[in-house]
Amino acid sequence: MKRRDLLHYLNRQGCRFVREGQEHSIWENPAKNRRTSVPRHREIPNFTVARICKYLRIPVPF
């Protein structure tokens, strides 16, 4: 999945951007009080997208 598509999806699910790290962006789901990192690659593997969504407790987009 393209990174920009994932970020748009996270926004639509109610997650918000917290800050930029060295190699990752930090996103949180304020409704579930969960934070995770999103790698800064153009393409993010589907298993990584699934793990990010699972940790943030939102549905997987595919």
Side-chain angles (χ1 to χ4, degrees), residues 11-56:
N11 268 329
R12 287 194 307 268
Q13 293 297 317
C15 297
R16 65 181 183 181
F17 170 76
V18 177
R19 66 181 171 85
E20 289 289 345
Q22 285 280 330
E23 298 174 0
H24 295 80
S25 302
I26 308 300
W27 282 74
E28 75 174 350
N29 183 350
K32 306 287 184 178
N33 198 25
R34 306 285 281 189
R35 281 189 178 183
T36 192
S37 59
V38 176
R40 275 200 234 136
H41 302 287
R42 286 181 193 252
E43 276 294 321
I44 300 174
N46 288 339
F47 67 88
T48 305
V49 172
R51 297 292 284 173
I52 290 168
C53 292
K54 183 178 178 181
Y55 190 78
L56 290 174

